[in-house]
Amino acid sequence: MGPPDEADSAGRPLIIPLFIPHLGCPHRCIFCNQQAITGKSTRMPSVARIQTEVNRFLKYGKKRPSTTQISFFGGSFLGLEKGSVLSLLEAAMPFVRANAVDSIRFSTRPDTVYQKTLSLLEPFPVSTVELGVQSMNNRVLDAVERGHRASDTVKAAGLIKGRGYQLGLQMMVGLPADDDAGAMETAHQMAVLQPDFVRIYPTLVLNGSPLAGRFRGGGYQPMALDACISLVKRLYLYFKARHIPVVRMGLQASDGLTRAGEYIAGPFHPAFGHLVHGEIVFDAISSTLYRMEKQPDPLIITAHPTMVSRVQGLNKKNICRWQSTFDLKKIILHQDGDMEKNHLMVANHHVALP
Ligand code: SF4
């Protein structure tokens, strides 16, 4: 399970990530090399270590954001022994009591969520539980040796929501035995569970994972980056149309992944989410251009300054594609700080982004 997003300036919570790599997992999914993802050891963090990490974040955080959360991720939180769950939660409590942290969140496998394990959380200010769903197709879950059923996810989501926690769901694309239609079906079944947010991760081949052996033997072919971006774009738009926020697309360029030899193959890009948003803008502007009887040349596109890089696409890819597709000599990009972020002007046509 990948790392949570960190703070941003748009009013989202400051999330202090505490890694519990591979701890609490009864076995290993074939795509998993949790050590490679987090770049940390597989030891349980000590109370002293937790306090140092949290203090480090709090010290370097700018002004106190509206919400600050401690996030345990990387392993399967509720799969840990009862004593470990309680000691991690206890380690977070001095920060809550000091009013430096508001709440606690964690990620866990669906088959660790029961009334009994959720009851352990009751005395603590836990706000959010994220489930590593990965797929809602049992055939895919079997192929990746996930060790649980889609029905475990349905049950776990119901229990989490029933207790009033925020529910996050994480899915993967490009898994063995899966395809685009399968990923869309997973998204559909996840949306039925009414999550508060989702994350979408591409399947990467990591050194030391069982999938790496399969890849080397020719038994697994990862998705190409372009195909993966196109699929994740469809998933993003699917969730967006159902008012379900997609808070992350793609893995972060953590130390572990960028360290030589850890990443072997697959659709990794450090700006994966940015590429998806660039494609969404490309589609929206292209369909506006197609609708015009004659495209003006030079073409003037006006956007909020924060949207300029999405309009251009990586290395100005979008600009080049519009120029060649519509035979335009010049495209001028105007920045207008008064424009709403998700709105553009293409010549004199207003474009609202999905
Ligand atoms: S549930 Fe699977 S992917 Fe998540 S940490 Fe455990 S083995 Fe790795």
Side-chain angles (χ1 to χ4, degrees):
M1 292 162 198
D5 291 334
E6 294 178 15
D8 71 16
S9 54
R12 282 204 262 167
L14 168 71
I15 294 177
I16 303 174
L18 294 174
F19 305 100
I20 50 165
H22 209 264
L23 296 168
C25 277
H27 60 267
R28 186 193 286 180
C29 312
I30 67 162
F31 51 79
C32 181
N33 174 348
Q34 198 55 239
Q35 250 181 297
I37 292 177
T38 60
K40 309 277 165 159
S41 77
T42 52
R43 268 181 300 138
M44 179 86 151
S46 66
V47 171
R49 177 91 205 128
I50 288 173
Q51 291 180 342
T52 309
E53 274 290 292
V54 176
N55 278 324
R56 191 173 63 83
F57 257 83
L58 292 174
K59 199 161 127 205
Y60 291 112
K62 292 174 204 130
K63 81 181 205 315
R64 170 85 150 91
S66 54
T67 309
T68 303
Q69 298 181 316
I70 287 178
S71 167
F72 296 104
F73 83 98
S76 189
F77 193 78
L78 291 179
L80 294 168
E81 285 177 6
K82 181 180 167 189
S84 302
V85 170
L86 294 176
S87 78
L88 287 171
L89 293 170
E90 278 295 350
M93 285 310 287
F95 299 99
V96 177
R97 289 192 197 101
N99 199 30
V101 166
D102 299 286
S103 56
I104 300 166
R105 58 193 292 156
F106 60 80
S107 57
T108 199
R109 287 169 55 95
D111 56 355
T112 61
V113 177
Y114 302 102
Q115 294 291 14
K116 202 171 150 196
T117 46
L118 288 176
S119 294
L120 296 175
L121 311 176
E122 266 170 23
F124 301 95
V126 172
S127 61
T128 310
V129 181
E130 290 195 40
L131 293 176
V133 174
Q134 319 319 5
S135 172
M136 289 300 283
N137 181 326
N138 284 333
R139 202 168 45 83
V140 176
L141 292 173
D142 286 344
V144 299
E145 297 173 28
R146 182 76 183 156
H148 67 75
R149 311 265 84 195
S151 58
D152 291 316
T153 299
V154 175
K155 236 181 280 163
L159 291 175
I160 291 164
K161 284 189 83 83
R163 286 187 176 235
Y165 296 120
Q166 286 236 318
L167 173 69
L169 298 179
Q170 306 173 355
M171 70 174 287
M172 292 176 68
V173 296
L175 288 168
D178 205 5
D179 57 17
D180 288 13
M184 294 306 298
E185 180 56 27
T186 286
H188 170 66
Q189 292 191 36
M190 279 170 43
V192 169
L193 302 177
Q194 298 182 304
D196 295 286
F197 61 91
V198 301
R199 300 178 194 272
I200 307 171
Y201 295 116
T203 303
L204 303 179
V205 182
L206 300 178
N207 202 11
S209 68
L211 192 61
R214 216 177 272 195
F215 169 70
R216 288 193 179 105
Y220 172 70
Q221 187 56 40
M223 289 187 90
L225 182 62
D226 278 357
C228 191
I229 288 168
S230 168
L231 172 59
V232 174
K233 177 186 72 180
R234 285 173 61 201
L235 292 164
Y236 173 89
L237 294 172
Y238 180 87
F239 287 120
K240 179 97 185 173
R242 283 150 190 82
H243 310 289
I244 299 169
V246 178
V247 299
R248 171 149 285 276
M249 296 178 278
L251 278 164
Q252 287 176 350
S254 69
D255 291 340
L257 267 183
T258 47
R259 211 165 43 221
E262 296 289 15
Y263 161 80
I264 295 178
F268 174 71
H269 193 286
F272 189 93
H274 179 71
L275 297 184
V276 175
H277 284 296
E279 283 302 302
I280 291 170
V281 173
F282 177 77
D283 290 351
I285 292 183
S286 298
S287 66
T288 304
L289 291 172
Y290 276 119
R291 281 200 304 273
M292 290 178 182
E293 261 177 43
K294 176 148 179 43
Q295 297 85 18
D297 195 359
L299 173 71
I300 299 174
I301 300 174
T302 312
H304 189 273
T306 57
M307 294 297 288
V308 168
S309 63
R310 287 186 188 181
V311 173
Q312 290 178 324
L314 198 71
N315 302 324
K316 305 213 172 144
K317 182 182 170 191
N318 289 352
I319 303 282
C320 294
R321 285 192 286 178
W322 288 318
Q323 281 183 313
S324 65
T325 309
F326 298 99
D327 198 20
L328 297 168
K329 282 192 192 62
K330 195 164 184 188
I331 296 179
I332 300 168
L333 205 47
H334 272 174
Q335 301 186 25
D336 181 349
D338 290 332
M339 280 193 83
E340 281 183 60
K341 283 187 186 161
N342 266 356
H343 293 256
L344 307 166
M345 286 302 291
V346 179
N348 55 357
H349 294 250
H350 172 250
V351 177
L353 294 170

